[in-house]
Amino acid sequence: MPAYLKMPKLSDTMTEGTLVKWLISEGEEVSMDQEVAEVETDKATMTMSSFDEGTVHKIYVEEGATVSLGTTLALILEEDEEPPADADTPPPAPGADSAEEKEAAPPAPEPEKKEASPKPAASPASAAKRPSEPVSSGSGAPGYLPSVTDAAGNRVKSSPLARRLAQERGLDLSRITGTGPGGRVTRQDVENVQGSGGGGGGGIGLLPDHPPATDQTLPLSGMRRVIAQRLLESKTTIPHFYLNIEIDAEPLMDFRSQVNEASLGNDGPKYTVNDFVMRATVLATEAVPAVNASFQGDSIYQYGETHLSVAVAIDEGLVTPVIRSAQTKTIRDLAAEMKDLAVRARDKKLAPEEMQGGTITISNLGSYGIGHFDAIINPPQAAILSIGTITKQPVVNSSNQIVPGMRMWIGLSCDHRVVDGAIGASFLSELKRFLENPFLLIS
């Protein structure tokens, strides 16, 4: 019996999805639970699986197209099964008007046309001032860019953003080495080439060897629309206030060095600064549970467990996978789970429920060289930590001598409806105590 692959609901708030990339092709055999496509939802880009097995007879939706839930994407036939007579036409999505209904409906009256004076042709100078139109595919999906092949005809693995940036900057994707999963070319790879003055011309010089970029209107992806909506809502409806504290990071760095030396000597993992920050955050939350809460309109809900959200940057935006019941886990547990979540976030393997239910968030820009910043609260949470980089600085010791030291700034953004200044300060004080006495983190 013919099976139709349809756009599934991959998140609780999803109403439509963008088919970023097909992982199958017509004539290919697929099995149950095989990953068949990458779909961008309102929360993230993730893979969808097939609930049927057989041979892909027809693909109806092109890469880059945005369609509603239930839209038929492809037709799968069983072995030796004949295709239906209407195999070239997909069934309509639920709620869509049928062709017969549209034909039966009387045509809408045409509005009266007023004669308009002919417009003079635009001069080259005025045309140059107009913003360029967004790129669109033949299917009408704005912002879609076709896949790229190399000289041998092989498809170049690349993210949609990398393809867009490469086109804007006149770069040949097939000549860029990808550092993403499976050699995929990412946004950073394109920007690295751009920054080095490369891009396919082979020349080396101070000036770029590509035409100057033109102005563009870039359509919002579903994920970026939701990010914009949620952050605007957060910033305009939550009364933010900000606290910052300076941490003496030298004890932490010395301790981390000793831990890593012992761990690597026993074939264990290498720990990052963020692994210790996660553990310190959990312990500080237990010491000051008032920050682990949310505003409920007529009450404050204080969580019994700490479900730790950690921001992860991906090509399409930002996701915050959640480590559940983090208070029950050691540094080793937190490090392993966070590494797994981050890898699967970048590979678009996270399930929707793995990005929901956090109670407090960590945003760490230290690896980007950012000294200190103030993050926007991730609703409905009441607090988010902003972790800066560790720098060497001259400091005054207990003997009033100026000596070299290592310092790190940590910021805390608070919802003033839930967290008062004294509570936020107490939380940061506890966090400072744990990070400056890192042996307390081992338990």
Side-chain angles (χ1 to χ4, degrees):
M1 181 177 179
Y4 290 98
L5 185 66
K6 299 186 177 184
M7 177 61 72
K9 187 171 185 177
L10 297 174
S11 75
D12 54 343
T13 55
M14 178 180 173
T15 58
E16 62 181 16
T18 299
L19 202 149
V20 177
K21 182 174 71 173
W22 280 110
L23 305 178
I24 55 174
S25 57
E26 291 183 0
E28 183 178 339
E29 291 188 3
V30 296
S31 57
M32 189 82 69
D33 296 328
Q34 177 181 336
E35 294 177 350
V36 294
E38 289 183 2
V39 174
E40 182 186 86
T41 72
D42 58 342
K43 294 186 181 295
T45 300
M46 58 188 72
T47 56
M48 60 171 286
S49 302
S50 172
F51 294 104
D52 299 281
E53 58 184 9
T55 302
V56 181
H57 177 75
K58 185 72 175 178
I59 289 178
Y60 299 114
V61 176
E62 296 182 5
E63 291 182 346
T66 300
V67 297
S68 59
L69 297 181
T71 298
T72 302
L73 306 177
L75 170 61
I76 299 176
L77 300 178
E78 295 179 355
E79 186 177 358
D80 299 326
E81 182 180 15
E82 290 296 323
D86 58 351
D88 290 336
T89 305
D97 294 333
S98 65
E100 292 79 8
E101 288 174 337
K102 289 182 179 178
E103 289 179 5
E110 294 186 5
E112 294 183 7
K113 297 181 180 178
K114 297 181 180 179
E115 286 191 15
S117 57
K119 295 181 180 179
S123 66
S126 63
K129 293 180 182 178
R130 294 195 195 116
S132 60
E133 295 297 322
V135 180
S136 66
S137 69
S139 64
Y144 166 65
L145 294 175
S147 58
V148 178
T149 57
D150 58 19
N154 299 316
R155 185 172 180 274
V156 178
K157 293 182 179 179
S158 58
S159 70
L161 182 55
R163 292 199 296 274
R164 182 182 298 125
L165 289 176
Q167 184 190 67
E168 290 173 8
R169 303 177 182 188
L171 301 177
D172 183 357
L173 272 181
S174 66
R175 301 183 64 177
I176 298 176
T177 302
T179 61
R184 189 183 194 198
V185 179
T186 66
R187 170 188 59 81
Q188 192 61 51
D189 296 328
V190 176
E191 291 184 343
N192 288 344
V193 172
Q194 176 74 2
S196 64
I204 299 176
L206 297 178
L207 297 177
D209 60 353
H210 59 80
T214 57
D215 295 340
Q216 291 195 62
T217 300
L218 302 178
L220 292 176
S221 66
M223 181 179 176
R224 180 53 61 183
R225 281 199 303 270
V226 170
I227 289 174
Q229 176 186 343
R230 284 176 58 83
L231 293 185
L232 176 63
E233 177 187 351
S234 174
K235 194 65 175 175
T236 55
T237 64
I238 295 177
H240 286 59
F241 77 92
Y242 309 97
L243 300 172
N244 289 273
I245 196 167
E246 189 179 44
I247 305 292
D248 179 3
E250 194 155 5
L252 174 62
M253 297 306 288
D254 290 342
F255 186 71
R256 173 177 173 258
S257 178
Q258 295 173 29
V259 170
N260 277 336
E261 183 179 354
S263 179
L264 295 174
N266 290 298
D267 298 323
K270 183 177 181 179
Y271 295 95
T272 67
V273 171
N274 202 57
D275 297 332
F276 294 90
V277 170
M278 288 191 295
R279 177 62 177 161
T281 300
V282 171
L283 293 176
T285 302
E286 288 191 300
V288 187
V291 301
N292 195 40
S294 66
F295 187 71
Q296 300 291 315
D298 58 355
S299 62
I300 293 174
Y301 189 88
Q302 188 165 300
Y303 300 101
E305 294 189 290
T306 302
H307 303 307
L308 192 62
S309 300
V310 182
V312 175
I314 61 175
D315 283 348
E316 294 80 6
L318 192 72
V319 294
T320 51
V322 178
I323 300 176
R324 303 198 180 280
S325 304
Q327 78 282 353
T328 66
K329 298 172 181 176
T330 64
I331 290 180
R332 186 185 183 97
D333 298 332
L334 294 171
E337 189 166 342
M338 190 62 237
K339 182 178 180 180
D340 172 65
L341 288 169
V343 168
R344 289 193 293 115
R346 297 186 179 104
D347 289 344
K348 305 175 181 64
K349 305 284 187 183
L350 287 179
E353 57 270 18
E354 292 179 300
M355 295 179 281
Q356 301 169 7
T359 61
I360 190 170
T361 297
I362 294 174
S363 179
N364 191 336
L365 292 179
S367 62
Y368 295 90
I370 301 300
H372 47 82
F373 66 103
D374 296 313
I376 297 177
I377 294 169
N378 181 18
Q381 300 170 22
I384 182 171
L385 281 164
S386 311
I387 312 299
T389 191
I390 295 174
T391 58
K392 291 183 178 180
Q393 299 178 13
V395 298
V396 179
N397 64 14
S398 57
S399 302
N400 289 328
Q401 298 172 320
I402 299 177
V403 297
M406 304 183 78
R407 291 294 186 266
M408 174 173 65
W409 280 96
I410 293 181
L412 180 68
S413 305
C414 304
D415 181 346
H416 216 324
R417 300 171 301 178
V418 179
V419 179
D420 293 329
I423 294 173
S426 297
F427 175 77
L428 283 181
S429 178
E430 286 295 313
L431 189 65
K432 177 182 175 75
R433 182 172 71 89
F434 285 117
L435 290 176
E436 291 185 345
N437 300 277
F439 61 89
L440 297 175
L441 304 175
I442 305 299
S443 60

